[in-house]
Amino acid sequence: MNYFPDEVLEHVFDFLTSHRDRNAVSLVCSLWYRVERFSRQRVFIGNCYAISPEKLITRFPGLKSLTLKGKPHFADFNLVPYDWGGYVQPWIEALAKSRIGLEELRLKRMVVSDDSLELLSRSFANFKTLVLVSCEGFTTDGLAAIAANCRFLRELDLQENEIDDHSGHWLSCFPDSCTSLTSLNFACLKGEINLASLERLVARSPNLRSLRLNRAVPLETLQKILMRAPLLVDLGTGSYVHDPDSETYNKLKTTILKCKSIRNLSGFLEVAPRCLPAIFPICLNLTSLNLSYAAGIHGSELIKLIRHCAKLQRLWILDCIGDKGLEVVASTCNELQELRVFPSDPFGVGHDAVTENGLVAISIGCPKLHSLLYFCQQMTNAALITVARNCPNFIRFRLCILDPTRPDPVTMKPLDDGFGAIVQSCKLLRRLSLSGLLTDQVFLYIGMYAEQLEMLSVAFAGDSDKGMLYVLNGCKKLRKLEIRDCPFGNMALLSDVGKYETMRSLWMSSCEVTLWGCKTLAKVMPRLNVEIINEHDQMEICAEDGQRVEKMYLYRTLVGPRKDAPEFVWNL
Amino acid sequence: MAFDKELNLEATELRLGLPGTKESEKQPTIAIKSNKRALVPNFNEESCGSKENCNASHLQKCDQEIASPAKAQVVGWPPVRSYRKNCLQAKKMEAEAAGMYLKVSMDGAPYLRKIDLKVYKGYPELLKALEDMFKFSAGEYSEREGYNGSEFVPTYEDKDGDWMLVGDVPWDMFLCSCKRLRIMKGSEARGLGCAV
């Protein structure tokens, strides 16, 4: 290896696109470590508290693209209190102070303030891409700063963020000289939009390929925009409501015929189903369709639409499509690779929900299926076994039975065997979410067969510590484990403490782990942050070691306990 | 199995709750800080009242007891992102709460009235309400001839500003496009009522 000059090594490393490959390469020898670190441009940090911005900057001076994730996954479901952490400000401050020429920033589950956005917009002359997923803490004022100051901005992609919308003017902050936009997604904004500004912006963005509008953009504007941007590949409609007999609607029908490049379609945040026929002509070309926010489209109309979409590879839909609708999907969309069926009534009893029959139909018609998220009323072992046989290629299998401890309704047995079949058959499975009535047995199967499993989500399952032990001992590639409401305690937690340094994080809430168990673990493993989230003042006063811990989140880190933890988070 | 263990200890267990119910609340887990927005009331996250291992069947029993008639709601279940939940909830509430008040005028009447279209499930109900309100009879509706045998004809102004005959388009579409109603006098309405 000493024979090659650094430039050759660097050139070879250029071919490595995945973070893991580059990480592996850096471990080979100190020469490779050095060459790799100076040539690395893209860094992915799965837990922002595992490392500090200063260390990052020191190691990778050539950094151009950074991805950061903050809060634990269960924060998505309100299990993590509001001020828990995950602030991007220190990262932007550190990067701004350094010589790093940041061009891309992708954040997930982080707290982003308007000040952060303002600082970001002013600190990096070549900043091109901002992607925020499930973030919070900022307003449209922050977006205005990005629009106004990032002269070469290409992508502004806001996915499912909680943004305080002060309405209107941020879009107008894009200067007339800004013509570089390729992707603009503001579907999650709740407020009004300056429609004229939007039209002008689209008109001067010849490279725009992805545009996702919010509810405030009416059909009339959609038509005008599509006239200006017939080369769009990805479209998210805003409000899709009009009188189908109107001239506007007829204009839309004609305009859409010109948009032959659209492959991804989403939105329909408000929809008049009678206007859907306008999009039928482009349905044949669609590879991705997201109707999971289109609550206004009922089952029969959904089905009519889907019959036109023979080339779909990805489909996100609401469960009001029903089992019958899924049968239509199965017979129409034979290229389907990813399916997500969301509950249309997450708080209710779910009368319209889908069952195991829909899933079985899909497994028969869509053999290429590799990613599934399925919210359903019920599931049977027989169905899961059939699905496992028909679709051995699952990489992600997430099943959510709306009643979390429901057994197989036919046999009244736990769903251990069904999930067992899935892990046994799908040898490439990397992500698994369980639900339904489950005993320790399912974990035995997982430990035995799920060799590639990296992320496991468990709720209301298992009988004893053995369940968790099977998983910790068996799944060698496990990186993220999140458990809620299971009878796993200290014995399971402490059985293999070294394991946690091979993982990114462990979440346990409403389990049997006690304060003593957590303290013990923290003492033995200094390179883990063991955090307790304590929402009740009682614990402050009488923190007995024997007391059960409500929420524990532990993660490996190179920088010790974090300094921004709020008072209700204890680092042990 | 573990079932037997449950049954033996139940009698001596100290719990909060009405006698005779299997529900046990150890600590009412009102997660004060966990929600930015007001969310569903917290069902007891820990249904295990004792320090023993809580097993799934016990939990299931608890769930079944309480689950009828209104579904008990557990924090964070089903695991749907709060953003998505809020969107769907907002849409539901919007649909239920927002009335759709429209002006109704009648030729010859000194003042207009207002009705909430959302209250009606279809044309028959709407027409009956109009007939009651203005004391007239609309007659029989047919697609070919419009309203036959009446002095007055219900019409509406749509989004494009055109005056249309009530009843031609499906109800949902009507709800979307109707801006105001006008009960036209028979002679004027004759032209509208004829098939094209």
Side-chain angles (χ1 to χ4, degrees):
Chain A
M1 296 310 149
N2 295 338
Y3 315 147
F4 296 128
D6 290 1
E7 299 83 53
V8 174
L9 273 179
E10 203 180 293
H11 186 66
V12 172
F13 293 168
D14 267 350
F15 289 99
L16 300 173
T17 47
S18 99
H19 296 289
R20 292 189 198 187
D21 286 343
R22 289 204 72 125
N23 292 346
V25 138
S26 69
L27 293 174
V28 167
C29 63
S30 51
L31 171 66
W32 282 35
Y33 178 89
R34 185 166 48 79
V35 173
E36 198 283 318
R37 72 177 258 251
F38 283 112
S39 61
R40 176 106 99 170
Q41 294 185 341
R42 325 182 77 86
V43 176
F44 169 85
I45 295 179
N47 174 8
C48 64
Y49 291 118
I51 191 76
S52 72
E54 291 74 25
K55 288 199 163 151
L56 170 74
I57 293 166
T58 310
R59 181 170 171 191
F60 300 115
L63 180 67
K64 289 210 164 63
S65 162
L66 178 62
T67 304
L68 280 173
K69 292 189 178 182
K71 301 186 198 180
H73 176 230
F74 276 178
D76 278 351
F77 318 129
N78 287 332
L79 289 177
V80 173
Y82 177 52
D83 286 329
W84 178 87
Y87 306 102
V88 77
Q89 180 70 6
W91 293 85
I92 298 186
E93 275 174 5
L95 287 163
K97 267 192 237 151
S98 74
R99 299 243 197 118
I100 300 271
L102 194 69
E103 294 183 12
E104 301 178 358
L105 186 62
R106 294 177 172 82
L107 305 177
K108 187 169 185 180
R109 262 179 243 116
M110 293 199 71
V111 178
V112 181
S113 65
D114 283 345
D115 287 342
S116 301
L117 290 176
E118 168 95 25
L119 183 59
L120 177 68
S121 73
R122 291 192 187 283
S123 308
F124 308 104
N126 241 353
F127 193 72
K128 296 196 173 74
T129 298
L130 181 62
V131 179
L132 301 176
V133 181
S134 289
C135 295
E136 59 178 356
F138 60 106
T139 77
T140 43
D141 294 345
L143 296 179
I146 296 286
N149 303 328
C150 300
R151 297 184 346 161
F152 303 113
L153 193 69
R154 292 209 194 136
E155 290 180 51
L156 179 58
D157 187 356
L158 308 169
Q159 299 177 28
E160 301 192 335
N161 302 289
E162 298 287 0
I163 306 174
D164 215 341
D165 196 328
H166 297 163
S167 273
H169 89 292
W170 69 275
L171 256 186
S172 322
C173 292
F174 281 104
D176 289 338
S177 53
C178 175
T179 58
S180 47
L181 273 183
T182 61
S183 167
L184 179 63
N185 172 7
F186 58 92
C188 62
L189 282 179
K190 305 268 198 302
E192 294 306 311
I193 280 290
N194 186 326
L195 299 176
S197 287
L198 175 62
E199 288 176 44
R200 283 196 302 269
L201 181 61
V202 172
R204 65 178 186 277
S205 304
N207 298 320
L208 194 66
R209 293 293 172 268
S210 169
L211 180 63
R212 298 190 188 181
L213 310 168
N214 78 342
R215 264 181 99 166
V217 181
L219 195 134
E220 293 91 351
T221 309
L222 173 66
Q223 187 271 326
K224 290 188 206 157
I225 287 175
L226 290 178
M227 284 281 286
R228 308 277 205 174
L231 297 179
L232 274 182
V233 172
D234 177 343
L235 173 66
T237 69
S239 167
Y240 193 79
V241 175
H242 219 275
D243 181 351
D245 286 330
S246 65
E247 202 192 315
T248 308
Y249 180 71
N250 282 320
K251 272 200 257 179
L252 179 69
K253 281 207 292 204
T254 328
T255 309
I256 287 191
L257 287 175
K258 301 200 185 97
C259 301
K260 297 184 188 303
S261 307
I262 297 183
R263 296 287 172 273
N264 292 6
L265 188 59
S266 62
F268 302 96
L269 309 171
E270 256 177 17
V271 54
R274 302 212 142 242
C275 293
L276 289 175
I279 62 166
F280 289 168
I282 54 169
C283 284
L284 183 57
N285 294 326
L286 290 181
T287 54
S288 165
L289 179 61
N290 180 355
L291 296 175
S292 64
Y293 285 100
I297 308 181
H298 301 297
S300 53
E301 289 136 354
L302 271 177
I303 292 175
K304 228 166 86 178
L305 177 62
I306 291 197
R307 284 197 201 275
H308 289 84
C309 306
K311 292 200 191 139
L312 272 191
Q313 293 172 15
R314 176 167 53 188
L315 176 63
W316 291 23
I317 201 131
L318 290 172
D319 63 4
C320 53
I321 194 177
D323 285 337
K324 285 276 169 281
L326 289 177
E327 283 168 31
V328 175
V329 173
S331 62
T332 312
C333 311
N334 303 119
E335 299 296 310
L336 199 66
Q337 296 174 19
E338 176 182 332
L339 175 67
R340 295 195 190 190
V341 181
F342 292 96
S344 43
D345 194 4
F347 298 118
V349 186
H351 291 296
D352 293 325
V354 293
T355 71
E356 74 275 14
N357 295 322
L359 187 58
V360 170
I362 292 282
S363 75
I364 296 171
C366 312
K368 294 187 184 175
L369 196 65
H370 60 59
S371 291
L372 180 75
L373 173 60
Y374 196 75
F375 286 82
C376 57
Q377 278 280 48
Q378 63 186 46
M379 185 54 58
T380 63
N381 282 312
L384 284 174
I385 291 169
T386 305
V387 168
R389 194 178 52 235
N390 293 339
C391 296
N393 300 317
F394 274 117
I395 302 175
R396 295 171 205 96
F397 190 88
R398 294 151 73 189
L399 189 73
C400 177
I401 302 173
L402 292 169
D403 178 351
T405 55
R406 192 163 179 191
D408 178 329
V410 172
T411 63
M412 295 314 283
K413 289 216 168 94
L415 292 176
D416 302 332
D417 289 343
F419 280 105
I422 293 284
V423 292
Q424 194 175 3
S425 164
C426 305
K427 306 212 188 305
L428 300 174
L429 194 69
R430 297 205 300 251
R431 183 169 180 183
L432 178 65
S433 297
L434 308 171
S435 62
L437 183 62
L438 295 163
T439 71
D440 284 345
Q441 184 71 8
V442 73
F443 299 110
L444 175 65
Y445 290 140
I446 292 173
M448 265 171 69
Y449 295 112
E451 291 175 11
Q452 301 301 320
L453 195 66
E454 296 178 7
M455 181 169 177
L456 179 64
S457 307
V458 184
F460 304 99
D463 310 308
S464 73
D465 284 325
K466 281 201 266 178
M468 187 167 162
L469 284 172
Y470 290 141
V471 171
L472 291 175
N473 292 336
C475 299
K476 300 296 175 212
K477 298 215 175 159
L478 195 64
R479 290 189 302 117
K480 288 180 280 183
L481 179 57
E482 45 187 28
I483 304 172
R484 62 163 293 182
D485 294 272
C486 295
F488 305 143
N490 296 334
M491 206 266 277
L493 180 69
L494 298 171
S495 66
D496 181 4
V497 294
K499 173 84 175 169
Y500 305 124
E501 274 194 7
T502 69
M503 292 167 55
R504 183 187 298 173
S505 64
L506 167 67
W507 168 283
M508 291 181 76
S509 60
S510 303
C511 296
E512 299 292 324
V513 170
T514 70
L515 191 53
W516 172 85
C518 297
K519 279 185 180 172
T520 307
L521 179 57
K523 219 179 344 180
V524 171
M525 300 293 293
R527 285 196 301 193
L528 294 181
N529 277 354
V530 180
E531 295 181 4
I532 310 288
I533 296 173
N534 159 44
E535 288 161 292
H536 308 294
D537 294 323
Q538 297 124 295
M539 245 191 157
E540 195 75 77
I541 307 165
C542 54
E544 274 177 30
D545 279 4
Q547 201 160 350
R548 272 175 44 201
V549 155
E550 190 46 47
K551 293 176 183 173
M552 177 202 74
Y553 179 58
L554 67 82
Y555 52 90
R556 68 180 175 189
T557 179
L558 292 175
V559 291
R562 57 187 174 112
K563 299 181 183 57
D564 63 2
E567 7 169 273
F568 54 82
V569 172
W570 294 0
N571 198 93
L572 299 179
Chain B
M1 241 189 47
F3 267 99
D4 294 322
K5 252 164 89 180
E6 299 311 325
L7 292 170
N8 278 339
L9 288 168
E10 255 175 22
T12 54
E13 222 175 85
L14 275 176
R15 308 182 227 143
L16 300 170
L18 297 170
T21 60
K22 289 219 163 84
E23 177 181 357
S24 50
E25 278 181 51
K26 185 175 181 183
Q27 297 163 11
T29 47
I30 300 164
I32 309 154
K33 287 183 190 169
S34 85
N35 310 320
K36 241 182 9 172
R37 297 156 205 285
L39 264 194
V40 296
N42 198 346
F43 175 57
N44 52 326
E45 239 179 74
E46 317 134 350
S47 313
C48 343
S50 65
K51 292 224 167 154
E52 298 163 20
N53 284 343
C54 157
N55 65 24
S57 38
H58 175 88
L59 191 63
Q60 187 198 1
K61 274 160 78 172
C62 286
D63 272 346
Q64 280 167 355
E65 299 278 51
I66 301 135
S68 58
K71 189 95 179 165
Q73 289 168 17
V74 182
V75 166
W77 197 269
V80 175
R81 265 192 194 161
S82 13
Y83 172 83
R84 185 179 286 280
K85 263 191 183 156
N86 291 338
C87 278
L88 290 176
Q89 183 71 335
K91 273 187 205 157
K92 247 181 108 177
M93 280 170 29
E94 227 180 69
E96 285 163 11
M100 207 180 148
Y101 281 93
L102 296 179
K103 289 185 188 171
V104 189
S105 62
M106 173 142 149
D107 291 352
Y111 52 83
L112 282 62
R113 303 295 304 268
K114 264 216 168 150
I115 57 169
D116 180 359
L117 274 193
K118 283 263 158 115
V119 164
Y120 308 108
K121 297 207 174 59
Y123 287 118
E125 275 187 39
L126 171 65
L127 288 169
K128 176 100 184 12
L130 289 175
E131 285 173 335
D132 284 342
M133 194 182 258
F134 289 97
K135 311 277 181 288
F136 74 103
S137 170
E140 282 291 317
Y141 171 79
S142 74
E143 211 176 286
R144 217 165 62 84
E145 295 184 6
Y147 288 89
N148 234 338
S150 96
E151 265 240 66
F152 292 97
V153 176
T155 65
Y156 70 99
E157 185 183 6
D158 73 356
K159 275 192 174 151
D160 290 328
D162 299 317
W163 286 97
M164 319 286 291
L165 188 69
V166 168
D168 281 339
V169 300
W171 179 251
D172 290 320
M173 199 167 149
F174 170 71
L175 285 181
C176 287
S177 49
C178 177
K179 288 253 130 92
R180 55 185 297 173
L181 287 153
R182 176 182 162 198
I183 302 179
M184 263 185 205
K185 200 118 185 220
S187 41
E188 239 191 280
R190 213 53 83 213
L192 267 183
C194 292
V196 174

